[in-house]
Amino acid sequence: MNSMEIYQTKRHLNTFIDKLTKGLSKPRQKFFRDLVYGISKANSVILSDIGRSLEEECDIQYIIKRLSRQLTKGADSSILHQNYLNSIKKAIPDNALILVDQSDIIKPYAEKMEALSPVFDGSTKKIEKGYHTINFSTATIQTKHPIPLYSHVCSSKEEQFQSLNVEEIKGFQMIHEVMGEKPCTFVMDRGYDSNVMYEAIDKLDRQFVTRLKDNRYLIHKNKRVKVPTLANKRKGKINFCTEIKGKTYHLKVSHVKVKLPILKETPLNMIVVYGYGQKPMKLLTNHEIKGKHDVLRILKAYITRWRIEELFRVQKQEFHLEAMRTMSLMSLRTLYRIVNYVIGYYSLLIEKNTGLTQIILARSQSSNPLSKIKFYLYRMIRGVRAILSSDKKGINHFHFVKRRTSQLTLW
């Protein structure tokens, strides 16, 4: 591997780490530098893999103990997260789409990990041991790559845990504070089609797009109507062609003015989409609709939501998230945040499309040409790993360490 490519990759990564750890103590800066570099090089959250990737001369067991000890300290997590938000705030677009969804970390064979709780595993459709994750992300303007904004791991076995709804609302409130006066739209799947979520978003005076469940009742012309009944009366007057998850769909779209029984004073619109599945897809939004352009804008916003599912896939496939073996919940939360910060860093690098971006993408050794790829995150992650795998010095030589000088006073 070209030594200049290794140097440029490490220098750019080190600049990101410096921004991320600004204001932290020297030991904590070194710890997060090791963690970010190790995860980037090893593509793993297993401490032994991270430790070996640091290329330190000391015993690997000592490195693992050092990392494990530092992981349990979470007092500076708020500073770290604020630094991360400061580093990505320029990439958050005006009228941003905030992609919201839950995921999970399944640990079916774990016995001693802290606060293991029953979790529904979406892949096996069974209840397993593990943790819930709550995720709020946005997408880059040009390439539509996910930028995590809020990532939290929680467990129903925690002493302070009240409910998943409460934890979700904390996320909505945090994003509301981050966005300030900037407008944004929360884009959500059917799991968020609940009165509690609608009331919480309404109190924040934010806009939303949600996919509706079929058991939902809406008010149309002062009558309670079930969602499928109302949707079947709209056959789709607007034609729209789009690509979703690599497959092309020819859709027909309609909309109708409705209200929610719990928000009778709030005007809403239901958008009905034919052509995606056997049943029409139904979306609910508080956006005002004046014509075809507004309808398609809302539909495109929901299609963008699938980027957060790609984020979950990247977490688990590329960084082997569910292989985590830390015993404490605080350690798990720290690792989860750092993985998402690294993904955000990669998404920004893809969006900027610099010479370094092209070098990294070219080193991923993918069989597909770049011209045929629309989602570059997998290739970016593997390209960084390929470059750093030839690095035998580690990351800490980039960091200037101020050494104490002996002082001799002559009287």
Side-chain angles (χ1 to χ4, degrees):
M1 190 66 65
N2 189 318
S3 60
M4 183 56 66
E5 293 178 3
I6 297 174
Y7 173 79
Q8 289 178 342
T9 303
K10 289 170 65 177
R11 184 184 65 180
H12 201 278
L13 184 62
N14 189 67
T15 300
F16 168 70
I17 296 170
D18 284 342
K19 293 178 181 178
L20 189 64
T21 59
K22 184 179 179 181
L24 300 183
S25 64
K26 291 291 191 281
R28 293 295 281 175
Q29 287 181 342
K30 182 184 185 304
F31 162 66
F32 285 115
R33 180 172 283 102
D34 291 344
L35 203 58
V36 172
Y37 176 79
I39 289 173
S40 301
K41 182 177 179 179
N43 285 178
S44 173
V45 290
I46 299 176
L47 295 187
S48 57
D49 293 340
I50 295 171
R52 292 187 182 93
S53 69
L54 298 179
E55 304 294 342
E56 296 184 5
E57 295 180 358
C58 53
D59 183 71
I60 185 63
Q61 293 301 322
Y62 170 80
I63 298 174
I64 293 173
K65 288 181 181 179
R66 187 188 76 211
L67 294 174
S68 180
R69 184 174 62 252
Q70 290 287 345
L71 273 174
T72 59
K73 301 176 182 179
D76 49 14
S77 60
S78 59
I79 299 175
L80 194 74
H81 187 63
Q82 188 58 54
N83 287 342
Y84 169 73
L85 291 176
N86 290 340
S87 69
I88 65 170
K89 62 183 179 181
K90 291 183 180 179
I92 300 177
D94 295 332
N95 296 306
L97 300 177
I98 308 300
L99 317 177
V100 187
D101 208 350
Q102 293 180 13
S103 186
D104 51 62
I105 299 174
I106 302 299
K107 304 293 296 183
Y109 305 110
E111 297 292 340
K112 296 184 179 181
M113 294 180 72
E114 181 184 1
L116 282 167
S117 63
V119 174
F120 179 76
D121 184 356
S123 58
T124 63
K125 308 299 181 184
K126 296 180 180 179
I127 300 296
E128 301 281 4
K129 291 183 292 185
Y131 304 93
H132 299 281
T133 68
I134 297 170
N135 302 269
F136 290 72
S137 300
T138 189
T140 55
I141 299 172
Q142 300 295 330
T143 59
K144 304 301 180 185
H145 281 70
I147 304 178
L149 298 177
Y150 176 77
S151 307
H152 181 61
V153 178
C154 61
S155 166
S156 59
K157 296 296 184 180
E158 293 181 82
E159 291 184 5
Q160 304 300 322
F161 183 85
Q162 294 178 302
S163 70
L164 270 178
N165 284 340
V166 171
E167 297 297 328
E168 291 280 2
I169 291 171
K170 289 179 183 177
F172 282 109
Q173 292 172 337
M174 195 284 294
I175 296 298
H176 174 69
E177 293 171 3
V178 168
M179 297 305 297
E181 296 182 358
K182 287 185 176 181
C184 67
T185 300
F186 292 110
V187 186
M188 304 165 285
D189 203 9
R190 283 172 288 201
Y192 293 82
D193 179 19
S194 73
N195 293 342
V196 173
M197 295 301 164
Y198 291 133
E199 288 178 318
I201 297 172
D202 188 65
K203 288 180 181 178
L204 297 176
D205 195 25
R206 292 292 184 178
Q207 294 178 308
F208 68 86
V209 177
T210 310
R211 187 170 180 178
L212 287 165
K213 298 176 182 176
D214 283 344
N215 61 358
R216 161 71 61 184
Y217 280 88
L218 298 173
I219 297 176
H220 176 60
K221 294 183 178 180
N222 297 321
K223 294 181 180 180
R224 281 171 55 91
V225 185
K226 209 167 186 179
V227 164
T229 303
L230 186 57
N232 290 333
K233 296 179 181 180
R234 298 294 186 276
K235 297 304 179 183
K237 295 182 179 180
I238 304 172
N239 294 317
F240 180 63
C241 182
T242 186
E243 184 176 303
I244 303 174
K245 297 181 180 179
K247 185 176 179 181
T248 301
Y249 291 88
H250 298 278
L251 307 176
K252 290 184 176 295
V253 190
S254 289
H255 76 281
V256 56
K257 294 183 180 298
V258 295
K259 290 184 179 181
L260 279 169
I262 58 162
L263 299 174
K264 293 183 179 180
E265 303 302 319
T266 304
L268 303 171
N269 286 284
M270 182 177 75
I271 296 175
V272 184
V273 184
Y274 288 90
Y276 177 64
Q278 292 183 348
K279 296 181 179 180
M281 181 170 65
K282 287 80 68 176
L283 306 176
L284 184 69
T285 182
N286 57 354
H287 275 279
E288 184 180 6
I289 294 180
K290 295 181 179 180
K292 173 182 175 180
H293 174 77
D294 293 325
V295 174
L296 294 181
R297 177 170 53 84
I298 294 165
L299 176 56
K300 290 175 184 177
Y302 183 77
I303 292 172
T304 303
R305 192 206 68 82
W306 279 302
R307 285 304 195 191
I308 199 169
E309 295 184 8
E310 289 287 359
L311 171 65
F312 299 150
R313 193 172 290 111
V314 166
Q315 291 172 351
K316 294 181 180 182
Q317 290 186 1
E318 298 301 313
F319 292 100
H320 311 289
L321 188 66
E322 293 185 327
M324 273 196 263
R325 300 170 187 170
T326 56
M327 294 296 103
S328 74
L329 188 55
M330 180 60 70
S331 300
L332 192 148
R333 281 175 174 154
T334 302
L335 281 171
Y336 187 65
R337 290 193 191 105
I338 294 299
V339 165
N340 281 287
Y341 295 162
V342 171
I343 291 173
Y345 162 73
Y346 287 152
S347 291
L348 290 180
L349 193 55
I350 293 168
E351 181 76 357
K352 292 177 181 177
N353 195 24
T354 62
L356 178 60
T357 304
Q358 294 302 314
I359 290 172
I360 294 173
L361 293 175
R363 293 293 177 266
S364 65
Q365 300 178 348
S366 174
S367 58
N368 295 321
L370 283 173
S371 59
K372 292 187 177 181
I373 298 175
K374 293 185 178 180
F375 192 73
Y376 296 91
L377 197 49
Y378 298 97
R379 192 159 185 159
M380 174 64 66
I381 293 168
R382 294 169 189 178
V384 171
R385 179 181 62 191
I387 291 174
L388 294 183
S389 63
S390 300
D391 176 38
K392 302 303 179 185
K393 294 184 179 180
I395 190 67
N396 285 307
H397 73 284
F398 266 91
H399 182 58
F400 175 73
V401 180
K402 185 176 181 180
R403 300 183 181 278
R404 292 183 180 179
T405 57
S406 58
Q407 295 182 354
L408 179 63
T409 304
L410 298 178
W411 298 92

